[in-house]
Amino acid sequence: MIHHLENYYSGDLAWNQFVNLYKEFWTNNSITQELLQMLNHHRDIAEVIYGKFGSSSLSIITLLIPALDNLSIANCIYTPHLIKRLKECLMRME
Protein backbone atom coordinates (compact mmCIF):
# COMPACT_ATOMS: atom_id res chain seq x y z
CA MET A 1 0.00 0.00 0.00
CA ILE A 2 1.30 3.43 -0.93
CA HIS A 3 0.88 6.07 1.76
CA HIS A 4 0.42 9.32 -0.14
CA LEU A 5 -0.64 12.32 1.93
CA GLU A 6 -3.86 12.77 -0.05
CA ASN A 7 -5.10 9.54 1.56
CA TYR A 8 -4.92 11.35 4.92
CA TYR A 9 -6.41 14.69 3.85
CA SER A 10 -7.96 16.33 6.91
CA GLY A 11 -10.89 17.70 4.91
CA ASP A 12 -12.08 21.00 3.56
CA LEU A 13 -13.28 22.31 6.92
CA ALA A 14 -9.82 21.86 8.45
CA TRP A 15 -8.20 23.34 5.33
CA ASN A 16 -10.46 26.43 5.36
CA GLN A 17 -9.75 27.03 9.05
CA PHE A 18 -6.04 26.71 8.29
CA VAL A 19 -6.24 29.18 5.39
CA ASN A 20 -7.92 31.71 7.68
CA LEU A 21 -4.72 31.83 9.74
CA TYR A 22 -2.86 33.31 6.75
CA LYS A 23 -5.37 35.73 5.22
CA GLU A 24 -4.01 38.70 7.18
CA PHE A 25 -0.59 38.37 5.52
CA TRP A 26 -1.96 38.67 1.98
CA THR A 27 -1.39 41.95 0.17
CA ASN A 28 -1.83 42.91 -3.46
CA ASN A 29 1.65 43.25 -4.87
CA SER A 30 3.68 41.94 -7.79
CA ILE A 31 4.76 38.82 -5.87
CA THR A 32 1.24 37.79 -4.88
CA GLN A 33 -0.10 38.45 -8.37
CA GLU A 34 2.61 36.30 -9.97
CA LEU A 35 2.12 33.66 -7.28
CA LEU A 36 -1.59 33.49 -8.11
CA GLN A 37 -0.80 32.99 -11.77
CA MET A 38 1.82 30.31 -11.08
CA LEU A 39 -0.61 28.48 -8.78
CA ASN A 40 -3.38 28.45 -11.40
CA HIS A 41 -5.36 31.04 -9.40
CA HIS A 42 -5.79 28.83 -6.32
CA ARG A 43 -5.97 31.82 -4.00
CA ASP A 44 -6.34 29.75 -0.84
CA ILE A 45 -3.10 27.90 -1.55
CA ALA A 46 -1.39 31.15 -2.58
CA GLU A 47 -2.44 32.82 0.69
CA VAL A 48 -0.90 30.01 2.75
CA ILE A 49 2.29 29.92 0.69
CA TYR A 50 2.70 33.69 0.89
CA GLY A 51 1.90 33.70 4.61
CA LYS A 52 4.53 31.04 5.26
CA PHE A 53 7.29 32.15 2.89
CA GLY A 54 6.66 35.83 2.05
CA SER A 55 8.97 37.25 -0.60
CA SER A 56 10.59 33.80 -1.11
CA SER A 57 7.28 32.29 -2.23
CA LEU A 58 8.02 32.34 -5.94
CA SER A 59 11.24 30.39 -5.57
CA ILE A 60 9.80 27.98 -2.98
CA ILE A 61 6.99 26.75 -5.22
CA THR A 62 9.41 25.30 -7.78
CA LEU A 63 11.54 23.30 -5.33
CA LEU A 64 11.13 19.52 -5.25
CA ILE A 65 9.75 18.53 -1.84
CA PRO A 66 10.30 15.01 -0.46
CA ALA A 67 7.01 15.10 1.49
CA LEU A 68 5.23 15.65 -1.84
CA ASP A 69 6.99 12.60 -3.32
CA ASN A 70 9.57 14.88 -4.93
CA LEU A 71 7.04 17.07 -6.70
CA SER A 72 7.04 20.83 -6.43
CA ILE A 73 4.15 22.89 -5.11
CA ALA A 74 3.63 24.15 -8.67
CA ASN A 75 3.37 20.54 -9.91
CA CYS A 76 0.56 19.76 -7.46
CA ILE A 77 -2.04 22.31 -8.49
CA TYR A 78 -3.47 20.71 -11.60
CA THR A 79 -5.10 17.52 -10.33
CA PRO A 80 -7.51 17.08 -7.41
CA HIS A 81 -5.59 14.30 -5.65
CA LEU A 82 -2.32 16.27 -5.81
CA ILE A 83 -4.07 19.39 -4.52
CA LYS A 84 -5.19 17.34 -1.51
CA ARG A 85 -1.62 16.07 -1.10
CA LEU A 86 -0.33 19.63 -1.13
CA LYS A 87 -2.94 20.92 1.29
CA GLU A 88 -2.26 18.12 3.77
CA CYS A 89 1.47 18.74 3.50
CA LEU A 90 1.03 22.47 4.14
CA MET A 91 -1.17 21.80 7.18
CA ARG A 92 1.43 19.42 8.60
CA MET A 93 4.20 21.99 8.27
CA GLU A 94 3.01 23.85 11.36
Side-chain angles (χ1 to χ4, degrees), residues 63-82:
L63 296 176
L64 300 181
I65 300 171
L68 295 173
D69 295 325
N70 290 316
L71 295 172
S72 70
I73 291 170
N75 294 139
C76 291
I77 58 162
Y78 295 103
T79 59
H81 75 280
L82 291 178

Side-chain angles (χ1 to χ4, degrees), residues 11-64:
D12 291 339
L13 179 61
W15 171 251
N16 291 330
Q17 290 173 338
F18 183 72
V19 171
N20 283 334
L21 299 174
Y22 293 93
K23 287 188 178 291
E24 69 183 87
F25 301 106
W26 186 261
T27 60
N28 271 333
N29 59 52
S30 61
I31 294 172
T32 57
Q33 294 311 304
E34 187 173 350
L35 187 61
L36 271 174
Q37 287 182 332
M38 292 180 74
L39 294 176
N40 200 26
H41 299 279
H42 288 277
R43 185 173 174 129
D44 57 341
I45 295 170
E47 287 175 349
V48 172
I49 298 295
Y50 188 72
K52 285 185 172 292
F53 303 108
S55 62
S56 300
S57 297
L58 296 174
S59 60
I60 294 292
I61 65 169
T62 59
L63 296 176
L64 300 181

